Amino acid sequence: MAYLEYLLYLRMAIVWNGRELPSYLGPSPLILILLFLYLILNSVTLFALAVMFLRSLYSLCTNVTTIESWEIERHHTLLRRSRALGGYLEGYDGQRVRIRKQEFPYDIGIWRNIVQGMYGSPLSWMWPFAASYPIESGLHFEVNGFEDSFVTWPPPDPDRIPRKSVTFHPDDAFTHPGDPELNQDHVSAFRRRQQHDLANHQMQTSSVHRHKAFHERYEEHRSDDDLDERGNPTALPPRGEESWQNSEGDRLDDFGVEEDVEFYDEDTVPLAELLSRRRAQRSGKHG
């Protein structure tokens, strides 16, 4: 394809040099269009093949496959992450894995890598029918010896460590190991909270509860025991008082919001409530 690119370049140079000649002395418009398309197609294909050739040559010289190059990049990423976390990374089930730098074991030198990949004499490397490298099992390869024999490749990855097998008996489901009486207390407290939440959910009919008039609420909940030395209330209004609640029965005070600021008084009725009252009055007059 490089030779074809050279021939196309010569023809394009001839056309460019004769661009000022009359048109009947040059190629037809169809020939010009096809020549331009051939040049573009061949140039793009030649560029892609050149990139693939350089990548394959690099992999051959370093004895690294595409997947192994991804493993090396992953190892470098884990190394940078572990340096910020004290040399350890956490995997599944709370397992802490020590990450240490490891060298790629199968890079045995540029020339030896090429010989191992191509096999045989350099004169036979360009012959497509030459014998390939004899690997008996495909599992054992020559290593460079930079790491100890017990060090494996790829390096440990916390995201790829198998999870611990957990075995349990069906009768022990939803139970906690420890003191049976303490577990029973936890279960009883959970059931009380569950019943309380269920009751709040059943009692709630609207997400906004309207207040009574201020003097009615003041006289209803006024008590000397609920006031401090300055006359301010020391306790929150009871749960029965009308206020905003969500579907689980939580009030604004449960989220750290002052309920007195958010309450609607008689002079701040929502617009939707005013419109509903007006429609009710109109329907009563027409009735």
Side-chain angles (χ1 to χ4, degrees):
M1 298 195 73
Y3 182 67
L4 177 60
E5 184 76 12
Y6 171 72
L7 295 179
L8 291 173
Y9 171 77
L10 292 180
R11 284 160 175 77
M12 290 295 297
I14 295 174
V15 173
W16 178 258
N17 293 331
R19 64 184 181 276
E20 296 181 358
L21 297 176
S23 59
Y24 61 85
L25 296 178
S28 63
L30 179 60
I31 299 299
L32 288 176
I33 294 175
L34 293 178
L35 182 61
F36 179 76
L37 292 179
Y38 290 157
L39 180 63
I40 295 297
L41 181 61
N42 190 76
S43 301
V44 173
T45 306
L46 183 61
F47 175 77
L49 290 178
V51 172
M52 293 180 61
F53 172 76
L54 294 177
R55 175 63 183 178
S56 300
L57 185 62
Y58 169 79
S59 299
L60 181 63
C61 293
T62 58
N63 208 10
V64 175
T65 63
T66 303
I67 297 179
E68 289 172 341
S69 65
W70 296 341
E71 293 175 348
I72 294 175
E73 294 177 359
R74 174 66 177 175
H75 180 56
H76 292 167
T77 302
L78 294 178
L79 280 176
R80 291 193 300 269
R81 191 182 305 170
S82 63
R83 291 194 187 102
L85 299 175
Y88 289 87
L89 293 178
E90 186 171 347
Y92 296 113
D93 301 323
Q95 303 181 63
R96 288 174 56 83
V97 181
R98 175 176 170 81
I99 306 298
R100 55 178 296 271
K101 184 178 180 181
Q102 293 183 217
E103 296 294 338
F104 182 67
Y106 304 114
D107 186 1
I108 57 178
I110 296 179
W111 177 251
R112 295 173 64 184
N113 290 336
I114 296 176
V115 172
Q116 187 185 66
M118 302 300 294
Y119 183 64
S121 172
L123 299 177
S124 63
W125 289 352
M126 300 303 173
W127 179 247
F129 301 103
S132 60
Y133 189 78
I135 301 294
E136 290 79 6
S137 63
L139 299 178
H140 302 283
F141 298 90
E142 184 180 359
V143 295
N144 50 30
F146 292 158
E147 301 291 344
D148 296 329
S149 58
F150 59 85
V151 177
T152 60
W153 184 270
D157 189 343
D159 295 336
R160 299 178 182 177
I161 293 179
R163 306 193 65 172
K164 296 180 179 179
S165 59
V166 180
T167 58
F168 64 93
H169 196 272
D171 296 337
D172 298 334
F174 303 102
T175 59
H176 301 276
D179 188 2
E181 296 182 359
L182 183 61
N183 293 335
Q184 187 64 30
D185 294 339
H186 287 313
V187 173
S188 301
F190 169 75
R191 290 179 178 176
R192 287 194 299 269
R193 294 194 302 269
Q194 188 180 34
Q195 294 296 332
H196 182 266
D197 295 339
L198 182 60
N200 289 339
H201 180 72
Q202 293 176 351
M203 293 175 57
Q204 184 178 0
T205 58
S206 175
S207 60
V208 177
H209 291 209
R210 297 297 304 157
H211 266 303
K212 299 179 182 179
F214 175 78
H215 64 279
E216 295 179 2
R217 289 184 279 119
Y218 180 78
E219 295 295 337
E220 182 178 355
H221 301 293
R222 184 172 181 269
S223 175
D224 295 337
D225 297 336
D226 298 336
L227 302 179
D228 57 10
E229 298 178 356
R230 299 182 179 180
N232 298 323
T234 59
L236 293 173
R239 284 288 177 176
E241 183 180 353
E242 297 172 349
S243 60
W244 179 89
Q245 292 182 352
N246 60 10
S247 59
E248 298 180 356
D250 298 327
R251 294 170 53 161
L252 292 176
D253 184 73
D254 298 330
F255 301 97
V257 181
E258 296 182 4
E259 293 186 346
D260 295 338
V261 179
E262 300 294 335
F263 286 159
Y264 292 119
D265 288 326
E266 297 298 329
D267 54 344
T268 59
V269 180
L271 180 60
E273 182 67 19
L274 292 176
L275 293 177
S276 62
R277 292 180 183 179
R278 180 175 299 178
R279 286 194 293 268
Q281 292 177 359
R282 290 180 180 178
S283 62
K285 291 180 180 180
H286 290 294

